[in-house]
């Protein structure tokens, strides 16, 4: 697989993460804000254990590190009991039936490496399923918190349909579109992942406490922040990059021109993922952001089959959309021309029908008898006219009166 910058991604060899490294990474999730690329660069030159030791004064500051940045993190680290607090956090998530997944673990989703220095230090995961396996066939469904009934209906329908087809539905557990997508997947008894901007034991928004609990039982709840931590505005934005990186593509259902959902979609595009949008009324401000995406790099989707056609394997094609087949569509070209020559109102004789259709009288007469047997026309003496059952269709065809 190629990254958006054209380099071939090199999968890291899976290794066993030691207890000391796991505790160090757990400690860093309390010290470092999600997506801190400066710390990400440091961790490519030093180990998590050594970095924590430097922050609490047990080792010298790593070389090539900004002193101002380092002192800011050291201030946060001094408030942390690095001996006991990481173990308490690991025990707290274990009590919820969860775990702390680190880079190098078998469960670590390798597509998160696309975030490069901004990849998570580790992920707190609540639920029984394997995050890496679920993320392999996953789609993000995001959108407005203040969505319309149409937006909630579309999100729930997409969530249920994707889950029913064996795809994992990933969203942020927020009000509106996020919650509807999760509920749709849960109703289909499918897979869904809620990515939080808080700890996995801190339900936010509070009104979705029950929903997040159901997701934890049937699916997975994931967070970069340790147990008990709370969300902030910046953490919501940083959380969106995780949703974008985990999934094969992002679907936006209703979003205003200024929306966090658009941030998720554009981050997904920057990571080489598919971005899709569900169109809405052009008069709705809640669809204005989606329509802006659709004028650019996003693709229109209206159902799960169209989404899977984009993000799925070769051959996962959505069925062609066709209108209903009418009886007159099955007529041969000559019969269609004769039928077109029959006036919408009143009748006419064989000679005029032959002239108007451009056919010989014998051919025209044969086709008229054929059309009569099919119920399209009827005869009264020498006059041919449309049968009652086809008058309306013929009038619409010829433009009406």
């Amino acid at each position: 697989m190629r990254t958006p910058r054209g380099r071939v991604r090199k999968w890291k060899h899976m290794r066993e993460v030691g207890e000391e490294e796991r505790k160090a990474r757990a400690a860093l999730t309390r010290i470092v804000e999600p997506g801190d690329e400066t710390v990400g660069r440091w961790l490519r030159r030093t180990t998590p254990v050594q970095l924590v030791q430097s922050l609490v004064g047990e080792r010298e500051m790593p070389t090539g590190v900004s002193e101002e940045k380092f002192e800011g993190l050291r201030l946060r680290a001094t408030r942390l009991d690095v001996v006991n607090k990481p173990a308490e956090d690991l025990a707290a998530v274990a009590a919820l039936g969860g775990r702390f997944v680190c880079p190098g673990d078998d469960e670590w989703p390798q597509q998160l490496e696309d975030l490069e220095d901004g990849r998570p230090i580790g992920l707190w995961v609540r639920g029984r399923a394997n995050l890496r396996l679920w993320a392999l066939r996953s789609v993000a469904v995001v959108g407005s918190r203040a969505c319309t009934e149409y937006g909630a209906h579309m999100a729930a329908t997409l969530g249920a349909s994707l889950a029913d087809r064996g795809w994992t539905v990933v969203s942020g557990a927020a009000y509106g579109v996020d919650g509807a997508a999760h509920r749709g997947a849960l109703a289909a008894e499918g897979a869904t992942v809620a990515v939080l901007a808080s700890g996995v034991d801190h339900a936010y928004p509070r009104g979705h406490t029950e929903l997040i609990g159901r997701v934890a039982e049937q699916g997975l709840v994931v967070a970069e922040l340790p147990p008990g931590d709370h969300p902030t505005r910046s953490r919501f934005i940083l959380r969106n990059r995780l949703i974008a990186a985990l999934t094969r593509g992002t679907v936006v259902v209703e979003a205003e021109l200024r929306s966090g959902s658009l941030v998720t979609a554009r981050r997904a595009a920057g990571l080489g993922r598919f971005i899709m949008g569900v169109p809405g009324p052009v008069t709705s401000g809640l669809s204005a952001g989606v329509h802006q995406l659709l004028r650019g790099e996003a693709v229109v989707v209206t159902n799960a089959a169209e989404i899977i056609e984009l993000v799925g394997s070769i051959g996962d094609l959505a069925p062609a959309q066709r209108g209903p087949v009418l009886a007159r569509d099955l007529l041969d070209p000559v019969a269609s021309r004769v039928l077109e020559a029959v006036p919408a109102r009143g009748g006419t004789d064989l000679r005029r029908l032959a002239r108007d259709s451009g056919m010989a009288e014998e051919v025209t007469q044969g086709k008229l008898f054929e059309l009569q047997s099919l119920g399209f026309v009827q005869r009264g003496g020498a006059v041919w006219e449309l049968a009652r059952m086809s008058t309306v269709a013929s009038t619409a065809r010829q433009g009406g009166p």
Side-chain angles (χ1 to χ4, degrees):
M1 177 180 288
R2 291 190 176 274
T3 67
R5 298 185 184 180
R7 298 194 304 273
V8 176
R9 181 200 292 162
K10 296 181 180 179
W11 299 113
K12 289 194 173 182
H13 176 67
M14 292 291 102
R15 58 183 175 81
E16 183 177 352
V17 178
E19 182 181 358
E20 289 304 309
E21 179 180 342
R22 195 176 304 279
K23 287 183 177 180
R25 286 184 177 273
L28 287 172
T29 64
R30 284 208 172 271
I31 300 169
V32 180
E33 284 296 306
D36 191 319
E37 295 187 359
T38 301
V39 174
R41 287 192 292 272
W42 294 351
L43 287 174
R44 295 190 186 278
R45 297 196 297 264
T46 187
T47 69
V49 173
Q50 291 171 345
L51 180 56
V52 170
Q53 290 173 344
S54 297
L55 289 171
V56 296
E58 296 179 10
R59 293 174 65 96
E60 294 183 358
M61 184 176 72
T63 58
V65 171
S66 163
E67 184 174 350
E68 182 179 0
K69 174 75 173 181
F70 190 78
E71 288 303 319
L73 293 175
R74 175 174 281 177
L75 182 62
R76 297 184 70 170
T78 55
R79 303 173 185 171
L80 178 68
D81 181 354
V82 295
V83 175
N84 298 311
K85 190 58 179 175
E88 291 175 6
D89 287 339
L90 291 170
V93 77
L96 295 171
R99 59 242 172 241
F100 182 56
V101 180
C102 301
D105 284 335
D106 289 340
E107 195 179 353
W108 182 257
Q110 288 296 316
Q111 59 267 43
L112 294 181
E113 298 299 315
D114 288 346
L115 292 172
E116 299 181 334
D117 292 332
R119 74 173 183 175
I121 293 170
L123 291 175
W124 301 90
V125 180
R126 181 181 170 193
R128 293 184 294 273
N130 185 292
L131 176 61
R132 181 181 65 84
L133 295 180
W134 273 24
L136 291 175
R137 283 172 56 87
S138 64
V139 176
V141 180
V142 298
S144 174
R145 287 176 172 81
C147 68
T148 64
E149 290 185 8
Y150 162 78
H153 169 76
M154 287 303 303
T157 300
L158 292 176
S161 299
L162 286 165
D164 193 51
R165 288 164 170 79
W167 285 78
T168 302
V169 177
V170 179
S171 199
Y175 290 131
V177 167
D178 288 19
H182 288 306
R183 290 188 183 93
L186 291 170
E189 299 183 352
T192 187
V193 176
V195 183
L196 305 185
S198 60
V200 293
D201 61 340
H202 184 90
Y204 189 90
R206 289 293 186 186
H208 275 179
T209 300
E210 181 182 356
L211 174 62
I212 294 171
R214 289 176 59 203
V215 172
E217 290 177 5
Q218 185 172 317
L220 291 172
V221 177
V222 177
E224 292 182 78
L225 295 163
D229 222 334
H230 62 280
T232 63
R233 182 181 295 273
S234 62
R235 288 172 174 177
F236 281 114
I237 298 298
L238 292 166
R239 181 271 310 271
N240 292 345
R241 89 194 194 289
L242 192 56
I243 294 175
L246 270 175
T247 55
R248 289 196 184 184
T250 295
V251 183
V252 183
V253 183
E254 289 195 326
E256 296 181 283
L257 290 172
R258 181 181 173 86
S259 169
S261 301
L262 301 186
V263 174
T264 306
R266 289 175 177 136
R267 191 63 189 264
L271 292 169
R273 312 296 198 260
F274 291 99
I275 56 173
M276 298 152 276
V278 177
V282 296
T283 54
S284 172
L286 283 172
S287 289
V290 179
H291 296 159
Q292 185 183 64
L293 280 180
L294 293 174
R295 292 191 64 191
E297 60 272 42
V299 178
V300 172
V301 291
T302 59
N303 55 50
E306 293 173 352
I307 295 170
I308 295 171
E309 182 178 69
L310 284 173
V311 302
S313 303
I314 295 174
D316 290 337
L317 301 178
Q321 300 290 330
R322 296 186 178 89
V325 177
L326 303 178
R328 68 170 179 269
D329 297 333
L330 304 177
L331 296 174
D332 64 72
V334 176
S336 294
R337 288 179 62 180
V338 172
L339 182 59
E340 290 287 343
V342 180
R345 288 187 175 85
T348 188
D349 58 20
L350 173 62
R351 178 173 295 180
R352 183 172 177 180
L353 286 173
R355 183 194 67 194
D356 290 349
S357 65
M359 301 292 175
E361 287 189 18
E362 308 85 58
V363 175
T364 302
Q365 186 176 44
K367 291 301 178 182
L368 284 169
F369 284 124
E370 181 183 326
L371 291 168
Q372 184 182 28
S373 68
L374 294 172
F376 285 97
V377 298
Q378 61 190 20
R379 184 174 65 164
V383 175
W384 292 90
E385 62 182 357
L386 292 174
R388 290 183 179 180
M389 56 81 65
S390 60
T391 300
V392 174
S394 179
T395 300
R397 182 188 68 226
Q398 297 184 19

